[in-house]
């Protein structure tokens, strides 16, 4: 027998040894396909039921509000609060069902990744993705802080400035995509803070393509100092918001998918109100940048469209950040005042 015949015999024997395992693989794969079909059918059924339930609970909540406003002041408030709490709890369950079902993403994700599901089906997967997002944001803030220190105090080079601006473009683009996936999976990222990151992408892109010129050099150091301040504030926010969210999740007051944000929200009022002066300082810095760039646009050597464009975006960021944060503060103060008035009325 030749060596070739011996090798063929060995391969044949090994294939025979794998016959049993191969049969199990085919069996389990067939079972997997059947279970997958069952799961998909159950997902469609759950989605249909959850849609119907959520729609009805929304209508009932509106009816309850309308009925409560028409009832006399001496009516049974406990019954109303009980119904309100039950409707809220059931609506929360419907939301959890939606979050656990696969579905395609929003317009942005549809354009970038196509019509595919970006749903993370288990709580563990959603939690891991959220934690990865938080760590990514934290480490990128540190890297940007170090780059800003390097560019401000150690070396003034347009090449290294471009590296920092490119990193900011990539960072904010990545944040937009990750936050879209998080929002799709249950994170509450809404309103202005979504627009804020879109504007930050555009602003970072403008700074990246701004050519070396007199106007760039006049604004450069101011932007680097602004970046130092912003990164410092973001690190403080991350540290204290993470601790606050951990406490609120442990108490059952916040869902697992709540994330740290760059602004101020109602849940931060207890324990994090000391951050407000730092935030308002950053907003004033944005207004100053907008004003300086606006004045710079009238400089005799200003020939770049980037100057007025960056001024406009800084001003929009200032308006959005300041108005959003002030609205949160005013609403919180108003709700606190209302609650105190209600307590005093009950005592009387």
């Amino acid at each position: 027998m030749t060596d070739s015949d011996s090798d063929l015999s060995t391969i044949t024997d090994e294939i025979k040894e794998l016959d049993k395992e191969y049969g199990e693989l085919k069996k389990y794969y067939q079972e997997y396909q059947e279970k997958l079909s069952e799961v998909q059918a159950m997902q469609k059924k759950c989605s249909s039921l959850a849609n119907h339930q959520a729609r009805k609970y929304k209508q009932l909540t509106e009816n309850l509000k309308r009925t409560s406003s028409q009832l006399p002041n001496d009516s049974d408030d406990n019954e109303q609060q009980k119904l309100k709490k039950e409707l809220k709890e059931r609506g929360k369950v419907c939301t959890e069902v939606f979050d656990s079902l696969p579905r395609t993403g929003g317009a942005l994700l549809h354009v970038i990744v196509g019509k595919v599901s970006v749903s993370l089906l288990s709580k563990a997967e959603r939690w891991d993705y959220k934690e990865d997002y938080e760590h990514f944001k934290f480490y990128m803030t540190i890297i940007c802080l170090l780059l800003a220190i390097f560019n401000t105090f150690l070396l003034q080079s347009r090449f290294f400035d471009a590296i920092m601006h490119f990193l900011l473009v990539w960072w904010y683009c990545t944040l937009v995509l990750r936050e879209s996936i998080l929002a799709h999976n249950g994170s509450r990222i809404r309103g202005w803070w979504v627009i804020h990151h879109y504007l930050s992408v555009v602003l970072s892109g403008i700074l990246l393509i701004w050519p070396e010129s007199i106007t760039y050099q006049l604004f450069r150091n101011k932007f680097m100092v602004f970046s130092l301040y912003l990164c410092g504030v973001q690190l403080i926010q991350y540290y204290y918001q993470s601790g606050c969210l951990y406490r609120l999740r442990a108490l059952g007051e916040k869902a697992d998918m709540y994330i740290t944000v760059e602004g101020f929200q109602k849940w931060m009022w207890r324990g994090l109100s000391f951050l407000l002066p730092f935030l308002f300082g950053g907003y004033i810095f944005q207004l100053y940048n907008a004003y300086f760039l606006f004045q710079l646009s009238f400089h005799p050597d200003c020939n770049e469209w980037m100057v007025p464009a960056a001024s406009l975006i800084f001003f929009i960021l200032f308006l959005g950040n300041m108005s959003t944060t002030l609205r949160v503060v005013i609403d919180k103060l108003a709700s606190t005042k209302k609650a105190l008035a209600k307590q005093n009325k009950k005592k009387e």
Side-chain angles (χ1 to χ4, degrees), residues 224-242:
M224 292 301 170
V225 173
F226 170 72
S227 297
L228 283 172
Y229 181 86
L230 191 64
C231 289
V233 171
Q234 286 177 353
L235 287 176
I236 294 172
Q237 281 185 290
Y238 174 83
Y239 178 78
Y240 285 102
Q241 286 182 23
S242 297

Side-chain angles (χ1 to χ4, degrees), residues 64-236:
L64 181 61
K65 287 181 180 179
R66 188 164 53 250
T67 304
S68 299
S69 63
Q70 296 172 355
L71 291 173
N73 295 330
D74 58 350
S75 59
D76 188 2
D77 187 56
N78 291 332
E79 183 65 22
Q80 296 174 40
Q81 292 300 323
K82 184 179 178 181
L83 290 172
K84 185 178 179 181
K85 184 179 180 180
E86 185 173 357
L87 288 171
K88 185 177 179 180
E89 287 296 324
R90 293 194 179 194
K92 186 178 178 181
V93 171
C94 290
T95 301
E96 290 177 357
V97 172
F98 284 130
D99 292 341
S100 66
L101 295 173
R103 59 197 188 281
T104 56
L108 176 67
L109 293 173
H110 179 70
V111 169
I112 296 175
V113 301
K115 196 175 181 180
V116 297
S117 174
V118 291
S119 300
L120 304 171
L121 301 185
S122 70
K123 285 186 177 182
E125 286 178 326
R126 292 197 294 273
W127 173 261
D128 289 342
Y129 190 82
K130 186 196 80 74
E131 286 297 288
D132 183 68
Y133 161 84
E134 298 285 13
H135 294 152
F136 167 77
K137 193 163 63 169
F138 174 71
Y139 291 126
M140 285 301 302
T141 303
I142 292 177
I143 292 171
C144 288
L145 177 63
L146 294 176
L147 275 175
I149 293 172
F150 178 81
N151 288 337
T152 303
F153 301 109
L154 300 179
L155 182 65
Q156 293 194 6
S157 167
R158 186 66 182 90
F159 174 75
F160 287 101
D161 289 358
I163 291 176
M164 180 174 174
H165 296 320
F166 177 79
L167 185 65
L168 288 173
V169 172
W170 176 77
W171 180 20
Y172 282 115
C173 285
T174 306
L175 282 182
V176 166
L177 288 175
R178 290 193 178 212
E179 287 173 355
S180 297
I181 295 173
L182 284 168
H184 182 77
N185 286 279
S187 291
R188 302 296 178 256
I189 311 169
R190 296 173 182 169
W192 164 250
W193 304 116
V194 177
I195 301 172
H196 176 275
H197 282 163
Y198 284 102
L199 290 172
S200 298
V201 171
V202 177
L203 179 61
S204 301
I206 289 173
L207 295 174
L208 175 63
I209 63 176
W210 192 342
E212 176 73 29
S213 61
I214 293 176
T215 55
Y216 179 81
Q217 288 301 326
L218 288 172
F219 179 66
R220 176 194 181 278
N221 287 339
K222 292 177 174 55
F223 177 77
M224 292 301 170
V225 173
F226 170 72
S227 297
L228 283 172
Y229 181 86
L230 191 64
C231 289
V233 171
Q234 286 177 353
L235 287 176
I236 294 172

